[in-house]
Amino acid sequence: MRFLHTSDWHLGRSFHRVNLLSAQREFIDHLVATVRERQVDAVLVAGDVYDRAVPPLAAVELFDDALHRLAGLGVPTVMISGNHDSARRLGVGAGLIERAGIHLRTDPAACGTPVVLADDHGDIALYGLPYLEPALVREALGADGAGHPAVLRAAMDRVRADLATRAPGTRSVVLAHAFVTGGAPSDSERDITVGGVDSVPAEIFDGVDYAALGHLHGSQAITERIRYSGSPLAYSFSEARHRKSMWLVDLGPGGALSAERVDCPVPRPLARIRGRIDELLSDPDLDRYEDAWVEATLTDPARPHEPMPRLARRFPHLLSLVFDPERGPEDPLASYAQRLRGRTDRQIAEDFVAHVRGGRGPDEAERAVLGAALDAVRVSASEPAGTAGEPAQTAGEARG
């Protein structure tokens, strides 16, 4: 059976205030054409269909169009909610939509109930694991811990328990939205850290033939059988070197597997340039970026006069201007930025406690209080404005 694995559409998202709806529509056209031309048997969408819990109308209309076109091809689609989606909103009408071959999996309690497809070699069970916010699903799944590894392990236990009841030789596919250890992140993914633990080991997916992952925006293979498709479009300049693609996966008898990358359309290339403003305005090597979306980082010791309009005359698609003045190692601002770089919210909070107490960091009980406070904020943020009491399994607007 041939699957097309994609994820992280983020319909409704812009890129530094540039509306990406036309580029997202072009991707949907490309997706439908690939399904038709490459004789795809099923489409897998591993979460973050929308960019936020309450998407704009134009994004909802594009999603509706995509579902109608896929259903019109008669190709089953299995789709899960991600941490940007409102699981309840995305899942509205799931039972009715399923009659058209569109299988929306947004309820964590149903993660052990697969969509079963068949080919000449027997059945294939496809399990959809929506994004699992530990504070919201731990009790329902009977997880033995508070972090992502615990809740995802509990969900996979349900998958393996169901798979054990099926006929020998039944192949299996899992869709999940998580940060798996070894994956390479980018700046445009929303942090899913809870209790200081944001990644899960790849071994959690042991026992299935293929894990179709979403959340990380770079296409990558954790192992031969555990892969991220990545986002179809770049949503931050940290993705300038990404090759945006989908995975075309063939799952044969006995779990034999092969995968091929299918490139996605690129609306405009990205470029990150760095240096003093006079260098950026005169360097002939930068000519190749004049038609790209550009992020310019200025290293001048003092802020130049009117840098944005000056640079925009050479780079008309300049979208982002960053100031990173050249500083000596003794500069306190430079050392502060270095201390913060790459640290989680929890680590920063613990560092602050140590700072105000003369170097004595929090003990285990205090660390537990800090973790609980951060988790409470995340749960509160998972309820979009105007929907109090309706947990949507998202965490507010994306960083960056």
Side-chain angles (χ1 to χ4, degrees):
M1 183 168 287
R2 173 167 288 181
F3 301 104
L4 186 63
H5 168 199
T6 177
S7 73
D8 294 273
W9 295 357
H10 289 279
L11 300 182
R13 186 164 185 160
S14 60
F15 184 75
H16 290 270
R17 297 178 298 281
V18 174
N19 190 311
L20 290 180
L21 193 65
S22 62
Q24 292 174 334
R25 185 175 293 110
E26 184 178 2
F27 162 68
I28 295 299
D29 291 343
H30 172 68
L31 171 73
V32 172
T34 301
V35 170
R36 182 175 56 249
E37 294 165 8
R38 301 300 298 269
Q39 299 180 324
V40 170
D41 296 305
V43 175
L44 313 178
V45 186
D48 282 355
V49 175
Y50 292 121
D51 189 56
R52 55 182 185 266
V54 185
L57 179 59
V60 177
E61 290 173 341
L62 180 55
F63 176 61
D64 181 65
D65 178 64
L67 296 189
H68 275 84
R69 295 171 71 181
L70 290 170
L73 292 174
V75 175
T77 297
V78 182
M79 183 177 295
I80 62 173
S81 50
N83 62 306
H84 280 245
D85 299 309
S86 164
R88 290 191 175 186
R89 284 187 173 85
L90 188 63
V92 167
L96 184 62
I97 294 172
E98 190 159 6
R99 298 181 185 180
I102 307 294
H103 307 274
L104 299 175
R105 291 295 186 259
T106 63
D107 180 5
C111 60
T113 303
V115 176
V116 180
L117 304 178
D119 62 9
D120 293 342
H121 307 292
D123 287 347
I124 302 177
L126 294 92
Y127 299 88
L129 279 55
Y131 171 68
L132 303 173
E133 179 67 61
L136 295 176
V137 305
R138 175 185 176 183
E139 184 175 346
L141 292 179
D144 59 5
H148 282 281
V151 295
L152 193 54
R153 188 177 298 110
M156 282 301 302
D157 286 345
R158 294 191 178 197
V159 167
R160 284 184 280 264
D162 178 84
L163 193 56
T165 68
R166 300 193 174 272
T170 298
R171 290 157 290 164
S172 56
V173 173
V174 165
L175 289 78
H177 198 85
F179 184 4
V180 175
T181 303
S186 65
D187 292 344
S188 56
E189 298 122 9
R190 177 182 299 147
D191 178 27
I192 58 174
T193 301
V194 172
V197 178
D198 60 351
S199 64
V200 300
E203 292 76 15
I204 276 182
F205 298 103
D206 284 353
V208 298
D209 293 300
Y210 184 70
L213 302 181
H215 179 59
L216 299 185
H217 287 184
S219 178
Q220 53 199 290
I222 304 299
T223 70
E224 179 189 10
R225 296 181 180 274
I226 303 173
R227 297 173 185 262
Y228 285 98
S229 69
S231 60
L233 297 170
Y235 293 117
S236 73
F237 277 102
S238 66
E239 300 169 55
R241 296 181 180 272
H242 285 189
R243 174 187 166 192
K244 295 302 183 182
S245 58
M246 303 177 285
W247 286 111
L248 194 66
V249 178
D250 287 306
L251 186 59
L257 184 141
S258 63
E260 171 191 347
R261 289 178 75 173
V262 178
D263 290 334
C264 295
V266 178
R268 191 179 296 277
L270 306 186
R272 303 180 100 173
I273 59 177
R274 180 184 179 88
R276 298 193 177 197
I277 191 167
D278 290 339
E279 299 168 352
L280 300 185
L281 291 173
S282 60
D283 187 349
D285 288 342
L286 301 181
D287 289 349
R288 63 188 185 275
Y289 300 137
E290 291 178 358
D291 193 45
W293 279 326
V294 172
E295 178 185 75
T297 298
L298 296 181
T299 61
D300 302 71
R303 188 183 184 106
H305 178 64
E306 296 186 339
M308 194 74 171
R310 291 168 64 187
L311 287 166
R313 282 193 287 272
R314 182 177 187 189
F315 306 103
H317 303 289
L318 175 68
L319 298 182
S320 175
L321 191 60
V322 179
F323 293 95
D324 186 17
E326 296 170 351
R327 302 182 186 275
E330 72 286 351
D331 190 310
L333 292 177
S335 61
Y336 177 74
Q338 290 167 1
R339 289 198 305 272
L340 289 184
R341 186 172 294 118
R343 300 186 71 75
T344 66
D345 290 343
R346 178 165 179 167
Q347 290 169 328
I348 293 171
E350 292 179 3
D351 287 349
F352 176 76
V353 172
H355 172 72
V356 298
R357 295 202 306 206
R360 182 169 62 87
D363 58 26
E364 285 303 312
E366 292 168 332
R367 292 180 75 249
V369 170
L370 284 173
L374 291 170
D375 289 352
V377 170
R378 291 176 55 83
V379 172
S380 176
S382 72
E383 299 180 1
T387 58
E390 180 191 331
Q393 300 219 31
T394 182
E397 291 300 316
R399 296 181 177 180

